[in-house]
Structures are given as C-alpha cells and as structure tokens.
Amino acid sequence: MPEIPEIETVRRQLEATIVNKQIKLVEITREKTFNVPIEEVLHHLEKTTVTRILRRGKIIILQFNQPISLLFHFMLEGYLKYLNPTEEFEKNYQLMLEFTTGEKLYFCKMYLGYIHLEMTTDLDQITEIQELGPDPLDIDFTAAKFQQMLTRRRKMIKPLLMDQDFIAGIGNTYSNEGLFLAGILPDRKASELQTGEIQKLYSKLRQILRESINLGGVRDTAYSSSDQLTGGFTPELKVSYREGEPCYVCGTPISYAKIGGRNAFYCTVCQH
DNA sequence: CACCATGTTAGCGG
DNA sequence: GCCGCTAACATGGT
C-alpha cells in the first residue's frame, strides 16, 4: 500500500516530531530486519541527535549529528507509531527509539520491509537508492524526460509505472488512479502511447500525487494519537478497490483484472 | 485448512 | 537484453 503520498506523510510527521531530539535508548527485537548486527545499530544510534528526514521513492532516510544514515522501507505492512511518555504500546515492534524527552518511536511489522544502517550521509553512495529511477515529483522529472523514457519500452504501462528502477515511488494504487485520470488502459504498451496521452499521464500522475500528499495519503496506520492527517485521500480514489461499482464519470461498472500479476482496476469506457 | 493482499527480487522461458 | 509469468519472502484476514 504505501506509495509516495503515504511515505511522504510519514516523513513530514517525523520532521515535525523528532528532528533535534536525542536518542536515549534503542531496542531491537528482530535482527533479520537489519543489514548489520544489533550491537552495531545500538552503538551508532544511542546518544545521537536526529538532524534530517529525507525520502527517495518509498524509502525514508533518517540522518543524525554523525556520518550515518538509517534507511527504512515499509514494504507491505510496515508502519511507525510515535507515542508520548504517558501512552502505552505493547504490540510487536522490531525497533524502538526512545528520546531523552521521553517520546518513543516504534517501527512495527518490519518483516518483509527492512531497516538499514549505512555509514555515509551521501545518498548517491547508497546502493538501495542508486537503483531507483527518478522521483515523479522531482523538478528534473519533466514531461519531455518522461516521454523519452517511455519510447523504447515495450512493457505494459501499468507494470512499468510500478517498476522502481523506472520511476521511484508509484505502486498499485496510484498507477491505477493515474491511468484512469489519463484515460489510458493499464495493459497498453508504453512505446505505443501517443504524445498527447503521455503528456496527460504525466500531469495527472503528478497532480494526484500532490493532492494525495496534501490530504495525508490513502488508508494507513495513524502516526500518533493526535494524527488527524493520515488517510485523508482515501475517499478520493476513483477506481482502486471499486470493482463492479459505477464509474464516477460514466456509470459503467469498474473492471478488475490481473495485469503483470497485480490487481488492476479501470473503466473500459473512460480508458482506451 | 487454503488462499489472497501488499512491494520487491530472483529465476525461468519466450 | 527485454518481457511476462511465477514463486518466495512474513504475516494477518477471510
């Protein structure tokens, strides 16, 4: 589920809550989630102060007053929970950071997901990030560049949009929604899209990602007990999870098919 | 009990 | 090398 808007919503809440806080205590309950031994994570994180929170695609990067980066990817189910000293949290977690101010940050359901400690702050030197395609909201990601990227690709457009090496941060939900808004069927070959269709897909994709970020993304776990933002975009979804329900534009029942092994939702009248 | 969902990667055949 | 398909990963829900 988590794609750019959901990840960016988390990043912004981290920025608002943990920047400039010092880590007092670190607890780890699942070594497999990490790329280095537990002792190494504890050694590098304890007593450090959070300085920056970055995002590349679906990856969040915490940086500190030390030359290290803590990367994490939620994959399917991962989420964060930020709690006040007065709040109790007993559910399973794989990493807990307690700050000197008393708040605790829990990393939950990081089973398929990962938390990686890297000994650099230079993102260009980190493999997981080197492999990513451009971020669709990046200023350098222009319509002309998008068109040029699509020309040689014979792949179906939906799986291509979800390919993180091609573009970083789009998954099942926003590929469905973007293609609906652009009027393009999900199994069209990328190289066969017309210039006008590519332009429309480019602008609709960026527009929906921005709107969703502003509304807190799609149904997701709340960051904290005071979090009123997360999930605000859920009622705005046009086709995702609406199989058989009427299209908001033409009334035709929304179709569903496996495309590239993934659930595609689309309207056979509005999309060509 | 089996199956499905999520994101990602690896492996296989065309 | 590219493309599409399948399985695997871990877990919870039906």
Side-chain angles (χ1 to χ4, degrees):
Chain A
M1 171 61 61
E3 303 171 36
I4 285 174
E6 292 73 38
I7 305 296
E8 181 63 20
T9 297
V10 172
R11 192 198 68 79
R12 290 182 179 191
Q13 299 193 86
L14 284 168
E15 200 158 58
T17 51
I18 71 167
V19 170
N20 292 330
K21 286 194 172 135
Q22 185 181 19
I23 296 173
K24 179 169 73 180
L25 180 68
V26 180
E27 281 179 15
I28 294 170
T29 65
R30 187 177 191 269
E31 187 150 21
K32 265 187 81 176
T33 294
F34 294 82
N35 62 332
V36 295
I38 289 175
E39 298 72 33
E40 208 168 315
V41 181
L42 302 184
H43 171 252
H44 282 102
L45 289 186
E46 282 178 348
K47 296 180 183 168
T48 61
T49 298
V50 179
T51 53
R52 294 207 290 174
I53 324 281
L54 309 170
R55 179 187 62 76
R56 289 290 184 280
K58 300 175 184 174
I59 298 172
I60 294 179
I61 305 107
L62 301 191
Q63 295 193 334
F64 307 87
N65 61 340
Q66 296 289 326
I68 57 172
S69 296
L70 191 73
L71 273 69
F72 51 95
H73 193 307
F74 290 141
M75 216 65 87
L76 303 188
E77 302 186 283
Y79 63 91
L80 299 184
K81 215 63 175 176
Y82 179 76
L83 297 189
N84 296 321
T86 56
E87 294 175 305
E88 281 293 325
F89 192 69
E90 300 183 355
K91 285 188 184 170
N92 291 341
Y93 61 89
Q94 289 68 53
L95 169 66
M96 187 276 294
L97 304 179
E98 181 177 355
F99 301 97
T100 54
T101 46
E103 292 88 0
K104 293 178 180 176
L105 182 65
Y106 291 88
F107 293 65
C108 305
K109 297 198 177 179
M110 304 295 286
Y111 302 113
L112 286 180
Y114 61 77
I115 305 172
H116 287 176
L117 181 68
E118 303 292 345
M119 306 313 294
T120 177
T121 55
D122 183 359
L123 300 188
D124 294 336
Q125 289 183 27
I126 299 174
T127 315
E128 297 90 320
I129 290 173
Q130 288 169 348
E131 291 167 347
L132 297 175
D135 189 300
L137 293 179
D138 196 286
I139 195 156
D140 296 330
F141 185 72
T142 61
K145 177 166 183 179
F146 185 47
Q147 175 148 21
Q148 182 247 321
M149 285 164 62
L150 287 171
T151 47
R152 280 161 289 164
R153 304 301 295 255
R154 268 171 275 177
K155 225 176 163 176
M156 295 184 288
I157 186 63
K158 178 179 159 64
L160 187 58
L161 290 175
M162 296 170 63
D163 181 346
Q164 303 303 298
D165 301 346
F166 181 72
I167 296 179
I170 295 173
N172 211 10
T173 300
Y174 295 96
S175 59
N176 282 329
E177 299 297 313
L179 288 167
F180 171 76
L181 295 173
I184 299 168
L185 287 169
D187 61 352
R188 293 275 303 282
K189 301 277 184 189
S191 57
E192 293 168 10
L193 295 177
Q194 318 239 328
T195 302
E197 292 177 315
I198 295 172
Q199 301 282 329
K200 193 165 184 186
L201 180 57
Y202 171 84
S203 62
K204 292 295 181 184
L205 255 183
R206 284 168 51 108
Q207 182 189 334
I208 193 179
L209 291 172
R210 284 206 203 90
E211 285 175 5
S212 187
I213 288 171
N214 289 335
L215 291 176
V218 167
R219 59 196 175 99
D220 209 342
T221 310
Y223 176 72
S224 64
S225 54
S226 61
D227 173 11
Q228 296 296 308
L229 178 65
T230 294
F233 194 74
T234 308
E236 307 298 321
L237 295 178
K238 305 291 189 249
V239 289
S240 296
Y241 314 109
R242 297 196 62 242
E243 182 193 5
E245 295 172 43
C247 171
Y248 292 131
V249 174
C250 71
T252 304
I254 298 299
S255 299
Y256 161 90
K258 290 273 182 193
I259 292 176
R262 309 298 305 281
N263 289 336
F265 297 91
Y266 54 95
C267 174
T268 54
V269 173
C270 295
Q271 293 170 254
H272 303 281

